[in-house]
Amino acid sequence: MSASTLTISEILGHKSALMDLPTFFKACGMAQSTGYQIAADGRLPLEVIPLGRRRFVRTVEAWRFLGLVPEEAGPGPACEAGPAAGNDEEAACEAASPVEQSIPTSK
């Protein structure tokens, strides 16, 4: 049996701070039985957080693991709408240029 996967918009639409393991496994396209075995062996590349009988990973770490957010040191993506051809157009995203900040000096 193959595991169904989530779309990028479904994954990024997960707004809570923690993502349960079945959702994470589905986002990875992994069967739950395989995912739980990897987690039990300590080979899951994210910290597993037990809360009661359920297990979670941090949502932002799951996004990073899946390559959906930029690294900590880099700026976030700057998205601009595509040509005004209708609502079917996808946004074009490019890396934003770094913002220079000056340090205030006291006189």
Side-chain angles (χ1 to χ4, degrees):
M1 177 188 290
S2 65
S4 62
T5 59
L6 299 174
T7 65
I8 292 173
S9 62
E10 288 173 327
I11 297 167
L12 292 175
H14 190 86
K15 298 297 182 192
S16 66
L18 297 176
M19 180 182 290
D20 63 346
L21 286 184
T23 302
F24 175 70
F25 300 149
K26 190 173 183 179
C28 293
M30 181 185 318
Q32 283 191 25
S33 58
T34 303
Y36 279 115
Q37 184 63 49
I38 291 170
D41 292 344
R43 295 184 296 136
L44 197 66
L46 304 176
E47 178 186 5
V48 176
I49 302 166
L51 290 175
R53 295 179 57 149
R54 298 181 68 195
R55 303 292 181 256
F56 299 86
V57 293
R58 288 180 182 85
T59 299
V60 71
E61 288 180 7
W63 291 345
R64 264 192 217 105
F65 175 77
L66 294 168
L68 300 176
V69 294
E71 294 297 319
E72 296 273 340
C79 295
E80 299 175 9
N87 291 337
D88 294 332
E89 289 293 322
E90 293 184 15
C93 294
E94 299 177 5
S97 59
V99 177
E100 291 185 26
Q101 296 180 353
S102 60
I103 300 172
T105 57
S106 59
K107 294 183 181 184

